[in-house]
Amino acid sequence: HVLDKDIVISVKGTAKSEISSQQQKKVTGRVTDAAGIALPGVSVLVKGTSHGTITDSDGDYTLTNIASESILQFSFIGM
């Protein structure tokens, strides 16, 4: 959720990861604000790479082939 100008990430059972045989993960989740309202258009990027995605209209995202030690960065330009 968004707190002031920072996005706070919390797991509420919607984030999932699946480990493949190559120690790569599929990461899915939903980005919401403090009131639980979905945030579409949030950029989700694997830190230090150009591998990323943008949340859909429901605030959901999926990234595949993510190394298990990766860090995700979230950014959002709102109104």
Side-chain angles (χ1 to χ4, degrees):
H1 65 271
V2 177
L3 182 62
D4 295 320
K5 292 184 180 183
D6 298 322
I7 296 176
V8 179
I9 307 302
S10 59
V11 177
K12 291 187 176 183
T14 58
K16 300 174 186 172
S17 64
E18 301 168 4
I19 300 174
S20 72
S21 61
Q22 298 174 3
Q23 295 301 313
Q24 299 288 307
K25 294 183 178 185
K26 175 181 177 183
V27 179
T28 62
R30 174 173 287 158
V31 180
T32 61
D33 66 10
I37 298 172
L39 293 175
V42 175
S43 174
V44 184
L45 184 68
V46 178
K47 187 175 182 177
T49 73
S50 60
H51 185 63
T53 190
I54 296 175
T55 59
D56 65 14
S57 60
D58 296 320
D60 295 327
Y61 67 91
T62 300
L63 289 167
T64 57
N65 298 324
I66 307 300
S68 59
E69 69 278 355
S70 295
I71 296 173
L72 298 182
Q73 293 179 312
F74 297 79
S75 61
F76 180 69
I77 300 174
M79 295 186 268

